Amino acid sequence: MSEVRHNWTKEEILAIYNKPMMELLYEAATIHRQQHDPNVVQVSTLLSIKTGGCSEDCGYCPQAARYHTGVEGNDLMTVQQVKAQALRAKSGGSSRVCMGAAWRNVKDGPEFDQVLDMVRTINKLDMEVCCTLGMVTENQAQRLAEAGLYAYNHNLDSSEEYYKEVISTRGYQDRLDTIDNVRKTNVTVCSGGIIGMGENIEDRAGMLVALSTLNPQPESTPINALVAVEGTPLEDQKPVDIWDMIRMVATTRIVLPETQVRLSAGRTQMSREGQAMCFFAGANSIFAGDKLLTTPNPDVNEDMKMFEALGMIPQKPFTKKVQPQSVEASESKFQALGEKPKWTRPDHKIERNEEAKQKAKMLK
């Protein structure tokens, strides 16, 4: 079995990433088979429960209110709407529902209470529940855990150095602090990033250093290929080359041997053969459904056809960790504290983000 290391250096990871492709694939595939069933893929459905109107300036995101991307903002979905979507996802082969809200951070109040009810409802459907809601405090993480949350997603996005070239409204340490708050509960961590934002290979290695030195390492790591959306600061970025995606997946598998590596955004730009190579290289999780929050995703029927051609099957829920038990709101030990944490707001400016903001003002 491959050893889980928490002391990887950038130089070591770069040496792996730059190996001849066949050597890299062989090493990654070997480790993958030592730790996982290569014919089983965990299937998740990503559901945007509150779309658009976000105050952040993430250069890749069409949900940022300051950019003109054509994304219409919606209020928080109802519990019944979410339940209906979860049942649809379950019938399509998903074992997990990941609910995303376009928030900077969680705020105590009626909307968060509603999200907690959504978590309880989906968990009672015997599905894994994941949330991505922005930064959370320890008490908020504990309330999510009590409700039955299985996983919390909070991506690092890139290396700490390149992060400052993409986002100026929050700090990298806030990401790490949120993950630390989640780790104080029984909720698993999902954290990864995006390639194709203009970063260099050193930045990709830097992100993997940050993820691999977390102890424990994330149970799930999404590797996203940027989907360049018109109106965002990164609208002119060229699509990620499939070989770069395969290299990134393989390197992630080697550095994070026990983690489920998720093939995430950008799959519509990949051929079935390219995706198969990613699975061979160590990816064993995907998002299914026609949308990932606001960007296109392959049709679930097409995914099932691909699985059939490859002899792969969806992973059953709670294979890696037992199902958490939901505590009803009336019996909760953790109550809203009305916290107002001072998450950082770096004071630097990103030129392309400012240009996209000014362009949006003109169009509006």
Side-chain angles (χ1 to χ4, degrees), residues 146-354:
E146 267 197 334
L149 192 69
Y150 185 91
Y152 195 84
N153 168 263
H154 205 58
N155 289 337
L156 296 183
D157 290 336
S158 188
S159 68
E160 184 171 5
E161 294 77 17
Y162 196 71
Y163 185 90
K164 299 170 186 175
E165 302 298 320
V166 179
I167 303 166
S168 72
T169 52
R170 62 172 183 245
Y172 204 74
Q173 187 59 45
D174 290 339
R175 317 299 283 173
L176 297 172
D177 289 346
T178 289
I179 291 172
D180 186 55
N181 287 336
V182 173
R183 278 297 182 209
K184 294 171 183 175
T185 74
N186 64 350
V187 175
T188 63
V189 168
C190 175
S191 186
I194 308 169
I195 67 172
M197 298 190 293
E199 78 288 343
N200 56 35
I201 296 173
E202 286 75 13
D203 290 311
R204 296 175 186 177
M207 181 182 77
L208 290 180
V209 169
L211 291 168
S212 65
T213 51
L214 294 173
N215 193 1
Q217 293 178 346
E219 283 82 0
S220 174
T221 291
I223 300 298
N224 297 277
L226 176 71
V227 178
V229 177
E230 185 177 357
T232 64
L234 298 177
E235 64 180 0
D236 294 326
Q237 288 292 322
K238 295 180 180 178
V240 173
D241 186 271
I242 186 60
W243 298 114
D244 286 350
M245 195 69 180
I246 294 167
R247 281 190 179 277
M248 190 65 185
V249 167
T251 306
T252 303
R253 168 51 65 223
I254 293 167
V255 175
L256 307 174
E258 295 182 354
T259 298
Q260 292 208 268
V261 179
R262 190 185 305 280
L263 199 57
S264 298
R267 284 203 298 125
T268 55
Q269 300 165 353
M270 303 177 200
S271 67
R272 185 180 290 186
E273 293 82 3
Q275 292 180 67
M277 289 290 282
C278 287
F279 292 132
F280 183 76
N284 61 342
S285 182
I286 64 167
F287 279 119
D290 57 356
K291 273 191 177 182
L292 295 185
L293 297 181
T294 60
T295 56
N297 198 50
D299 179 80
V300 65
N301 292 323
E302 290 301 311
D303 283 334
M304 292 304 112
K305 288 178 183 177
M306 177 175 65
F307 279 15
E308 184 178 356
L310 298 175
M312 305 176 85
I313 59 173
Q315 179 178 297
K316 293 181 179 180
F318 312 112
T319 299
K320 302 289 185 178
K321 179 178 175 287
V322 296
Q323 182 176 7
Q325 297 301 306
S326 293
V327 175
E328 297 303 324
S330 59
E331 301 174 2
S332 175
K333 295 179 181 178
F334 296 92
Q335 302 298 321
L337 300 179
E339 299 172 279
K340 295 182 179 179
K342 292 185 178 180
W343 301 106
T344 60
R345 286 188 180 274
D347 58 3
H348 72 286
K349 299 289 185 183
I350 302 172
E351 185 176 345
R352 61 188 176 190
N353 290 16
E354 291 299 310

Side-chain angles (χ1 to χ4, degrees), residues 14-146:
L14 283 170
I16 293 170
Y17 186 97
N18 290 315
K19 280 188 175 186
M21 181 62 78
M22 296 306 156
E23 289 186 26
L24 176 61
L25 286 174
Y26 180 80
E27 182 176 352
T30 300
I31 290 173
H32 185 53
R33 281 152 180 73
Q34 290 173 348
Q35 301 284 356
H36 308 272
D37 185 334
N39 297 315
V40 175
V41 177
Q42 193 266 325
V43 181
S44 295
T45 292
L46 184 56
L47 179 62
S48 181
I49 59 173
K50 194 280 176 188
T51 304
C54 184
S55 63
E56 302 288 74
D57 77 334
C58 306
Y60 52 80
C61 186
Q63 298 200 67
R66 65 189 67 203
Y67 308 136
H68 185 72
T69 61
V71 171
E72 295 184 8
N74 294 315
D75 293 334
L76 188 66
M77 293 175 67
T78 67
V79 175
Q80 287 305 311
Q81 287 174 323
V82 168
K83 182 178 181 180
Q85 293 288 341
L87 288 169
R88 179 186 174 198
K90 186 175 183 178
S91 67
S94 289
S95 61
R96 179 183 296 188
V97 172
C98 185
M99 299 185 290
W103 294 336
R104 168 178 166 81
N105 59 278
V106 170
K107 295 179 181 178
D108 291 342
E111 287 197 330
F112 186 41
D113 292 341
Q114 192 167 320
V115 171
L116 294 174
D117 283 341
M118 294 175 188
V119 172
R120 294 186 185 97
T121 299
I122 298 175
N123 187 46
K124 290 172 185 176
L125 298 178
D126 295 327
M127 297 184 76
E128 297 172 9
V129 193
C130 176
C131 282
T132 178
L133 310 170
M135 279 89 76
V136 292
T137 65
E138 180 181 348
N139 185 69
Q140 290 164 345
Q142 292 286 6
R143 295 182 71 197
L144 285 164
E146 267 197 334

Side-chain angles (χ1 to χ4, degrees), residues 4-21:
V4 176
R5 287 179 50 190
H6 300 281
N7 61 346
W8 286 98
T9 66
K10 186 183 291 187
E11 291 71 26
E12 288 176 314
I13 294 174
L14 283 170
I16 293 170
Y17 186 97
N18 290 315
K19 280 188 175 186
M21 181 62 78

